[in-house]
PDB file of all heavy atoms in Angstrom:
ATOM      1  N   SER A  33     -70.256  11.242  -9.595  1.00  0.00           N
ATOM      2  CA  SER A  33     -71.592  10.593 -10.104  1.00  0.00           C
ATOM      3  C   SER A  33     -72.625  11.583 -10.306  1.00  0.00           C
ATOM      4  O   SER A  33     -72.521  12.682  -9.910  1.00  0.00           O
ATOM      5  CB  SER A  33     -71.951   9.534  -9.059  1.00  0.00           C
ATOM      6  OG  SER A  33     -73.169   8.884  -9.380  1.00  0.00           O
ATOM      7  N   ILE A  35     -75.589  14.066 -10.287  1.00  0.00           N
ATOM      8  CA  ILE A  35     -75.759  15.590 -10.449  1.00  0.00           C
ATOM      9  C   ILE A  35     -74.351  16.193 -10.342  1.00  0.00           C
ATOM     10  O   ILE A  35     -74.116  17.230 -11.114  1.00  0.00           O
ATOM     11  CB  ILE A  35     -76.666  16.133  -9.314  1.00  0.00           C
ATOM     12  CG1 ILE A  35     -78.040  15.475  -9.515  1.00  0.00           C
ATOM     13  CG2 ILE A  35     -76.774  17.624  -9.451  1.00  0.00           C
ATOM     14  CD1 ILE A  35     -78.923  15.742  -8.207  1.00  0.00           C
ATOM     15  N   ASP A  54     -64.506  13.474  -4.776  1.00  0.00           N
ATOM     16  CA  ASP A  54     -65.340  12.488  -4.454  1.00  0.00           C
ATOM     17  C   ASP A  54     -64.574  11.384  -3.525  1.00  0.00           C
ATOM     18  O   ASP A  54     -63.375  11.293  -3.553  1.00  0.00           O
ATOM     19  CB  ASP A  54     -65.765  11.604  -5.706  1.00  0.00           C
ATOM     20  CG  ASP A  54     -67.134  10.910  -5.525  1.00  0.00           C
ATOM     21  OD1 ASP A  54     -67.205   9.938  -4.820  1.00  0.00           O
ATOM     22  OD2 ASP A  54     -68.205  11.475  -6.012  1.00  0.00           O
ATOM     23  N   ARG A  55     -65.425  10.694  -2.717  1.00  0.00           N
ATOM     24  CA  ARG A  55     -64.783   9.606  -1.878  1.00  0.00           C
ATOM     25  C   ARG A  55     -64.190   8.570  -2.739  1.00  0.00           C
ATOM     26  O   ARG A  55     -63.213   7.874  -2.427  1.00  0.00           O
ATOM     27  CB  ARG A  55     -65.860   9.102  -0.912  1.00  0.00           C
ATOM     28  CG  ARG A  55     -65.403   8.114   0.090  1.00  0.00           C
ATOM     29  CD  ARG A  55     -66.514   7.720   0.981  1.00  0.00           C
ATOM     30  NE  ARG A  55     -67.672   7.183   0.292  1.00  0.00           N
ATOM     31  CZ  ARG A  55     -68.856   6.951   0.794  1.00  0.00           C
ATOM     32  NH1 ARG A  55     -69.083   7.100   2.026  1.00  0.00           N
ATOM     33  NH2 ARG A  55     -69.907   6.507   0.060  1.00  0.00           N
ATOM     34  N   VAL A  79     -61.771  12.696  -1.439  1.00  0.00           N
ATOM     35  CA  VAL A  79     -62.089  13.340  -0.231  1.00  0.00           C
ATOM     36  C   VAL A  79     -63.138  12.567   0.590  1.00  0.00           C
ATOM     37  O   VAL A  79     -63.950  11.865  -0.037  1.00  0.00           O
ATOM     38  CB  VAL A  79     -62.610  14.805  -0.569  1.00  0.00           C
ATOM     39  CG1 VAL A  79     -63.954  14.786  -1.279  1.00  0.00           C
ATOM     40  CG2 VAL A  79     -62.733  15.664   0.718  1.00  0.00           C
ATOM     41  N   ASP A  80     -63.058  12.653   1.818  1.00  0.00           N
ATOM     42  CA  ASP A  80     -64.218  12.249   2.709  1.00  0.00           C
ATOM     43  C   ASP A  80     -64.732  13.575   3.233  1.00  0.00           C
ATOM     44  O   ASP A  80     -64.136  14.161   4.149  1.00  0.00           O
ATOM     45  CB  ASP A  80     -63.836  11.229   3.690  1.00  0.00           C
ATOM     46  CG  ASP A  80     -64.902  10.825   4.584  1.00  0.00           C
ATOM     47  OD1 ASP A  80     -66.093  11.409   4.344  1.00  0.00           O
ATOM     48  OD2 ASP A  80     -64.752   9.952   5.504  1.00  0.00           O
ATOM     49  N   VAL A  81     -66.019  14.035   2.861  1.00  0.00           N
ATOM     50  CA  VAL A  81     -66.421  15.317   3.240  1.00  0.00           C
ATOM     51  C   VAL A  81     -66.875  15.458   4.675  1.00  0.00           C
ATOM     52  O   VAL A  81     -67.127  16.520   5.120  1.00  0.00           O
ATOM     53  CB  VAL A  81     -67.607  15.785   2.322  1.00  0.00           C
ATOM     54  CG1 VAL A  81     -67.262  15.994   0.932  1.00  0.00           C
ATOM     55  CG2 VAL A  81     -68.773  14.660   2.425  1.00  0.00           C
ATOM     56  N   HIS A 107     -72.054  19.294  -2.502  1.00  0.00           N
ATOM     57  CA  HIS A 107     -73.164  18.513  -3.180  1.00  0.00           C
ATOM     58  C   HIS A 107     -73.426  17.162  -2.496  1.00  0.00           C
ATOM     59  O   HIS A 107     -74.510  16.619  -2.591  1.00  0.00           O
ATOM     60  CB  HIS A 107     -72.745  18.263  -4.652  1.00  0.00           C
ATOM     61  CG  HIS A 107     -73.722  17.406  -5.388  1.00  0.00           C
ATOM     62  ND1 HIS A 107     -75.078  17.848  -5.550  1.00  0.00           N
ATOM     63  CD2 HIS A 107     -73.741  16.197  -5.960  1.00  0.00           C
ATOM     64  CE1 HIS A 107     -75.766  16.932  -6.112  1.00  0.00           C
ATOM     65  NE2 HIS A 107     -74.966  15.864  -6.425  1.00  0.00           N
ATOM     66  N   VAL A 108     -72.391  16.614  -1.871  1.00  0.00           N
ATOM     67  CA  VAL A 108     -72.521  15.308  -1.267  1.00  0.00           C
ATOM     68  C   VAL A 108     -73.718  15.320  -0.119  1.00  0.00           C
ATOM     69  O   VAL A 108     -73.821  16.314   0.595  1.00  0.00           O
ATOM     70  CB  VAL A 108     -71.259  14.780  -0.492  1.00  0.00           C
ATOM     71  CG1 VAL A 108     -71.531  13.518   0.263  1.00  0.00           C
ATOM     72  CG2 VAL A 108     -70.159  14.544  -1.532  1.00  0.00           C
ATOM     73  N   GLY A 109     -74.427  14.261  -0.141  1.00  0.00           N
ATOM     74  CA  GLY A 109     -75.466  14.178   0.899  1.00  0.00           C
ATOM     75  C   GLY A 109     -76.327  12.949   0.683  1.00  0.00           C
ATOM     76  O   GLY A 109     -76.015  12.046  -0.141  1.00  0.00           O
ATOM     77  N   LEU A 133     -73.120  13.615   7.071  1.00  0.00           N
ATOM     78  CA  LEU A 133     -72.934  13.620   5.579  1.00  0.00           C
ATOM     79  C   LEU A 133     -73.587  14.886   4.905  1.00  0.00           C
ATOM     80  O   LEU A 133     -73.098  15.304   3.846  1.00  0.00           O
ATOM     81  CB  LEU A 133     -73.573  12.351   4.994  1.00  0.00           C
ATOM     82  CG  LEU A 133     -73.194  12.032   3.593  1.00  0.00           C
ATOM     83  CD1 LEU A 133     -71.667  11.650   3.493  1.00  0.00           C
ATOM     84  CD2 LEU A 133     -74.032  10.846   3.017  1.00  0.00           C
ATOM     85  N   THR A 160     -76.454  21.670  -1.884  1.00  0.00           N
ATOM     86  CA  THR A 160     -77.489  20.872  -2.468  1.00  0.00           C
ATOM     87  C   THR A 160     -78.505  20.419  -1.284  1.00  0.00           C
ATOM     88  O   THR A 160     -78.056  19.753  -0.318  1.00  0.00           O
ATOM     89  CB  THR A 160     -76.995  19.503  -3.161  1.00  0.00           C
ATOM     90  OG1 THR A 160     -76.151  19.936  -4.171  1.00  0.00           O
ATOM     91  CG2 THR A 160     -78.080  18.709  -3.673  1.00  0.00           C
ATOM     92  N   ALA A 161     -79.677  20.975  -1.394  1.00  0.00           N
ATOM     93  CA  ALA A 161     -80.686  20.643  -0.460  1.00  0.00           C
ATOM     94  C   ALA A 161     -81.537  19.563  -1.167  1.00  0.00           C
ATOM     95  O   ALA A 161     -81.091  18.704  -1.820  1.00  0.00           O
ATOM     96  CB  ALA A 161     -81.548  21.787  -0.014  1.00  0.00           C
ATOM     97  N   TYR A 175     -83.536  12.513   6.638  1.00  0.00           N
ATOM     98  CA  TYR A 175     -83.205  13.252   5.385  1.00  0.00           C
ATOM     99  C   TYR A 175     -83.875  14.561   5.309  1.00  0.00           C
ATOM    100  O   TYR A 175     -83.296  15.642   5.047  1.00  0.00           O
ATOM    101  CB  TYR A 175     -83.614  12.345   4.237  1.00  0.00           C
ATOM    102  CG  TYR A 175     -83.205  12.880   2.891  1.00  0.00           C
ATOM    103  CD1 TYR A 175     -81.863  13.119   2.667  1.00  0.00           C
ATOM    104  CD2 TYR A 175     -84.074  13.072   1.858  1.00  0.00           C
ATOM    105  CE1 TYR A 175     -81.466  13.547   1.344  1.00  0.00           C
ATOM    106  CE2 TYR A 175     -83.669  13.481   0.622  1.00  0.00           C
ATOM    107  CZ  TYR A 175     -82.330  13.682   0.462  1.00  0.00           C
ATOM    108  OH  TYR A 175     -81.913  14.198  -0.854  1.00  0.00           O
ATOM    109  N   LYS A 179     -81.753  18.146   5.423  1.00  0.00           N
ATOM    110  CA  LYS A 179     -81.881  19.047   4.305  1.00  0.00           C
ATOM    111  C   LYS A 179     -82.536  20.423   4.678  1.00  0.00           C
ATOM    112  O   LYS A 179     -82.120  21.437   4.209  1.00  0.00           O
ATOM    113  CB  LYS A 179     -82.614  18.439   3.149  1.00  0.00           C
ATOM    114  CG  LYS A 179     -81.932  17.248   2.505  1.00  0.00           C
ATOM    115  CD  LYS A 179     -80.529  17.641   1.930  1.00  0.00           C
ATOM    116  CE  LYS A 179     -79.872  16.604   1.028  1.00  0.00           C
ATOM    117  NZ  LYS A 179     -78.573  16.949   0.551  1.00  0.00           N
ATOM    118  N   PRO A 205     -83.376  19.861  -5.474  1.00  0.00           N
ATOM    119  CA  PRO A 205     -83.910  18.934  -6.588  1.00  0.00           C
ATOM    120  C   PRO A 205     -85.056  18.161  -6.077  1.00  0.00           C
ATOM    121  O   PRO A 205     -85.220  17.834  -4.920  1.00  0.00           O
ATOM    122  CB  PRO A 205     -82.708  17.981  -6.830  1.00  0.00           C
ATOM    123  CG  PRO A 205     -81.492  18.529  -6.157  1.00  0.00           C
ATOM    124  CD  PRO A 205     -82.080  19.347  -5.043  1.00  0.00           C
ATOM    125  N   GLY A 206     -86.023  17.846  -7.046  1.00  0.00           N
ATOM    126  CA  GLY A 206     -87.036  16.866  -6.761  1.00  0.00           C
ATOM    127  C   GLY A 206     -86.448  15.549  -7.145  1.00  0.00           C
ATOM    128  O   GLY A 206     -85.373  15.173  -6.845  1.00  0.00           O
ATOM    129  N   VAL A 208     -84.613  13.208  -9.471  1.00  0.00           N
ATOM    130  CA  VAL A 208     -83.678  13.294 -10.469  1.00  0.00           C
ATOM    131  C   VAL A 208     -83.084  11.899 -10.759  1.00  0.00           C
ATOM    132  O   VAL A 208     -82.698  11.290  -9.829  1.00  0.00           O
ATOM    133  CB  VAL A 208     -82.524  14.308 -10.191  1.00  0.00           C
ATOM    134  CG1 VAL A 208     -81.512  14.443 -11.243  1.00  0.00           C
ATOM    135  CG2 VAL A 208     -83.061  15.689  -9.830  1.00  0.00           C
ATOM    136  N   THR A 210     -80.648   9.515 -11.002  1.00  0.00           N
ATOM    137  CA  THR A 210     -79.222   9.268 -10.795  1.00  0.00           C
ATOM    138  C   THR A 210     -79.209   7.839 -10.041  1.00  0.00           C
ATOM    139  O   THR A 210     -80.275   7.361  -9.659  1.00  0.00           O
ATOM    140  CB  THR A 210     -78.725  10.323  -9.763  1.00  0.00           C
ATOM    141  OG1 THR A 210     -79.357  10.146  -8.563  1.00  0.00           O
ATOM    142  CG2 THR A 210     -78.881  11.710 -10.202  1.00  0.00           C
ATOM    143  N   ALA A 212     -78.341   7.357  -7.078  1.00  0.00           N
ATOM    144  CA  ALA A 212     -78.997   7.511  -5.757  1.00  0.00           C
ATOM    145  C   ALA A 212     -80.508   7.266  -5.858  1.00  0.00           C
ATOM    146  O   ALA A 212     -81.125   6.595  -5.022  1.00  0.00           O
ATOM    147  CB  ALA A 212     -78.619   8.861  -5.156  1.00  0.00           C
TER     148      ALA A 212
HETATM  149  N1  LIG B 357     -81.006  12.194  -7.126  1.00  0.00           N
HETATM  150  C1  LIG B 357     -82.067  12.863  -6.686  1.00  0.00           C
HETATM  151  O1  LIG B 357     -83.285  12.597  -7.052  1.00  0.00           O
HETATM  152  C2  LIG B 357     -81.898  13.815  -5.600  1.00  0.00           C
HETATM  153  C3  LIG B 357     -82.946  14.647  -5.168  1.00  0.00           C
HETATM  154  C4  LIG B 357     -82.767  15.526  -4.195  1.00  0.00           C
HETATM  155  C5  LIG B 357     -81.573  15.785  -3.645  1.00  0.00           C
HETATM  156  N2  LIG B 357     -80.447  15.055  -4.085  1.00  0.00           N
HETATM  157  C6  LIG B 357     -79.193  15.385  -3.472  1.00  0.00           C
HETATM  158  O2  LIG B 357     -78.095  15.309  -4.460  1.00  0.00           O
HETATM  159  C7  LIG B 357     -76.905  14.920  -3.774  1.00  0.00           C
HETATM  160  C8  LIG B 357     -76.247  13.675  -4.513  1.00  0.00           C
HETATM  161  O3  LIG B 357     -77.128  13.044  -5.178  1.00  0.00           O
HETATM  162  P1  LIG B 357     -76.857  12.399  -6.461  1.00  0.00           P
HETATM  163  O4  LIG B 357     -78.194  11.953  -6.949  1.00  0.00           O
HETATM  164  O5  LIG B 357     -75.959  13.143  -7.418  1.00  0.00           O
HETATM  165  O6  LIG B 357     -76.042  11.063  -5.922  1.00  0.00           O
HETATM  166  P2  LIG B 357     -75.029  10.068  -6.415  1.00  0.00           P
HETATM  167  O7  LIG B 357     -75.124   8.814  -5.606  1.00  0.00           O
HETATM  168  O8  LIG B 357     -75.194   9.826  -7.916  1.00  0.00           O
HETATM  169  O9  LIG B 357     -73.653  10.711  -6.179  1.00  0.00           O
HETATM  170  C9  LIG B 357     -73.172  10.992  -4.917  1.00  0.00           C
HETATM  171  C10 LIG B 357     -71.644  10.931  -4.889  1.00  0.00           C
HETATM  172  O10 LIG B 357     -71.203  11.347  -3.639  1.00  0.00           O
HETATM  173  C11 LIG B 357     -70.092  10.585  -3.336  1.00  0.00           C
HETATM  174  N3  LIG B 357     -69.942  10.494  -1.871  1.00  0.00           N
HETATM  175  C12 LIG B 357     -70.777   9.838  -0.924  1.00  0.00           C
HETATM  176  N4  LIG B 357     -70.287   9.981   0.328  1.00  0.00           N
HETATM  177  C13 LIG B 357     -69.160  10.773   0.240  1.00  0.00           C
HETATM  178  C14 LIG B 357     -68.245  11.284   1.158  1.00  0.00           C
HETATM  179  N5  LIG B 357     -68.326  11.066   2.492  1.00  0.00           N
HETATM  180  N6  LIG B 357     -67.334  12.120   0.755  1.00  0.00           N
HETATM  181  C15 LIG B 357     -67.087  12.420  -0.602  1.00  0.00           C
HETATM  182  N7  LIG B 357     -68.000  11.891  -1.555  1.00  0.00           N
HETATM  183  C16 LIG B 357     -68.976  11.102  -1.159  1.00  0.00           C
HETATM  184  C17 LIG B 357     -70.388   9.186  -3.926  1.00  0.00           C
HETATM  185  O11 LIG B 357     -69.147   8.471  -4.032  1.00  0.00           O
HETATM  186  C18 LIG B 357     -71.038   9.598  -5.231  1.00  0.00           C
HETATM  187  O12 LIG B 357     -70.098   9.724  -6.306  1.00  0.00           O
HETATM  188  C19 LIG B 357     -77.297  14.584  -2.398  1.00  0.00           C
HETATM  189  O13 LIG B 357     -77.019  15.739  -1.605  1.00  0.00           O
HETATM  190  C20 LIG B 357     -78.757  14.308  -2.482  1.00  0.00           C
HETATM  191  O14 LIG B 357     -79.417  14.485  -1.210  1.00  0.00           O
HETATM  192  C21 LIG B 357     -80.598  14.033  -5.095  1.00  0.00           C
END
Side-chain angles (χ1 to χ4, degrees):
S33 175
I35 299 167
D54 204 285
R55 188 175 54 187
V79 69
D80 180 357
V81 291
H107 180 62
V108 173
L133 195 67
T160 299
Y175 188 57
K179 290 302 191 183
V208 179
T210 65

